[in-house]
Amino acid sequence: MAGDALIELRGVNKHYGNLHVLQDIDLTVGRGEVVVVIGPSGSGKSTLCRAINRLEAVESGTIKLDGRPLPEEGRALAQLRAEVGMVFQSFNLFAHKTVLANIMLAPIKVRKKKKDEAARRARELLDRVGLASQADKYPAQLSGGQQQRVAIARALAMEPKALLFDEPTSALDPEMINEVLEVMRQLAREGMTMVVVTHEMGFARSAANRVVFMADGRIVEDRTPEEFFTAPRSERAKDFLSKIL
Ligand code: ADP
Ligand code: MG
């Protein structure tokens, strides 16, 4: 894996005022790897995702995607964001656009795809997430689980090198969680590189290559799910697991 790192963070630090929200973060995500990030609320998981996508600037350290440092701004940055898709807890679909139009938008604007090609691809992706029949609906007409699957299709439409998920099922009713996790498991099986912040420990156990446990802005453990769940080393992880399992 070390020979083929897709996402690489070295010595990354960030503060919000006095709060040291990312502390000396070293993290490597290999191509095709699924890394689940867990940890208490406020430990810096979302900030880590946002730093990887350069939605947040960091103060020191380096972040590389496919061997290249993240660009600071401009066209190169827009290109980078297109290469790393992000799926949020709140689906962030455009309410006044149909499902199909939501998926077509960025490929047309950013990738300069032709409209008919973007539409064809969007239909393929909807089929892939089990929503082929919903193309002409508006987001509000769909369930939360369906909206999140549209958000995943929309991220995939940019043909990203990696996908970041920040608590993708936390806003969903329990009966809808599995349909979203199943789409994510399928992506993992197909070899998509994924960083997934989640409290779904079943997903972590079954789909992750590695579990990264964060507390107070630090990566405290970075191990296989088997190792992490059966024998957490740190008191912080033991305490966290005792509360959620
Ligand atoms: P997590 O996703 O693990 O819950 P976050 O990365 O969202 O943690 O936040 C880490 C810490 O940084 C929290 O204490 C949070 O309140 C703080 N924080 C997050 N975003 C901001 C911001 N834009 N300004 C100030 N503090 C923030
Ligand atoms: Mg968060």
Side-chain angles (χ1 to χ4, degrees):
M1 184 214 69
D4 197 15
L6 185 60
I7 300 169
E8 225 183 331
L9 290 82
R10 288 287 166 267
V12 167
N13 283 279
K14 179 175 181 65
H15 289 79
Y16 287 122
N18 290 329
L19 181 68
H20 199 169
V21 64
L22 295 179
Q23 302 194 37
D24 299 321
I25 298 288
D26 291 323
L27 177 67
T28 304
V29 182
R31 206 179 300 277
E33 220 181 4
V34 177
V35 173
V36 164
V37 180
I38 65 174
S41 178
S43 54
K45 306 180 298 294
S46 293
T47 307
L48 177 69
C49 285
R50 295 167 61 81
I52 292 172
N53 209 16
R54 194 64 171 74
L55 292 166
E56 296 275 0
V58 298
E59 290 145 14
S60 63
T62 57
I63 304 178
K64 288 184 184 169
L65 178 71
D66 224 354
R68 287 176 301 151
L70 298 198
E72 290 296 314
E73 57 192 9
R75 256 188 78 81
L77 179 57
Q79 195 64 30
L80 165 100
R81 290 219 179 101
E83 289 181 357
V84 184
M86 185 133 174
V87 175
F88 301 90
Q89 178 175 336
S90 55
F91 328 119
N92 291 353
L93 298 174
F94 296 106
H96 59 288
K97 288 190 185 294
T98 65
V99 162
L100 197 74
N102 263 279
I103 299 172
M104 291 166 61
L105 191 68
I108 289 172
K109 288 225 154 139
V110 181
R111 293 263 194 250
K112 311 293 177 201
K113 286 257 160 70
K114 294 228 166 59
K115 214 173 162 186
D116 53 348
E117 196 203 330
R120 188 184 50 74
R121 177 82 180 127
R123 287 188 193 280
E124 273 173 24
L125 289 166
L126 276 177
D127 191 35
R128 197 158 147 198
V129 300
L131 294 172
S133 60
Q134 310 295 315
D136 300 320
K137 297 225 172 117
Y138 286 85
Q141 295 173 284
L142 304 185
S143 72
Q146 290 174 321
Q147 289 186 56
Q148 193 59 302
R149 286 187 279 151
V150 173
I152 294 172
R154 184 177 59 173
L156 290 171
M158 294 299 279
E159 289 160 21
K161 289 180 177 169
L163 282 180
L164 311 176
F165 294 84
D166 191 1
E167 302 202 27
T169 61
S170 294
L172 298 177
D173 291 334
E175 74 272 19
M176 292 169 189
I177 290 176
N178 236 332
E179 68 191 50
V180 172
L181 293 180
E182 195 41 56
V183 168
M184 293 166 62
R185 282 196 191 94
Q186 181 62 33
L187 289 173
R189 283 194 290 270
E190 291 167 6
M192 176 61 76
T193 306
M194 295 166 40
V195 175
V196 183
V197 178
T198 185
H199 299 299
E200 294 296 329
M201 295 302 129
F203 178 84
R205 280 175 186 274
S206 63
N209 300 105
R210 278 157 50 215
V211 171
V212 164
F213 176 74
M214 286 187 77
D216 298 330
R218 289 182 189 280
I219 291 178
V220 179
E221 304 206 23
D222 179 349
R223 305 167 65 200
T224 67
E226 296 76 29
E227 290 169 336
F228 180 75
F229 288 113
T230 55
R233 288 195 183 118
S234 60
E235 286 309 314
R236 292 300 301 262
K238 283 177 197 165
D239 182 53
F240 178 77
L241 287 173
S242 76
K243 284 177 182 142
I244 61 159
L245 290 181

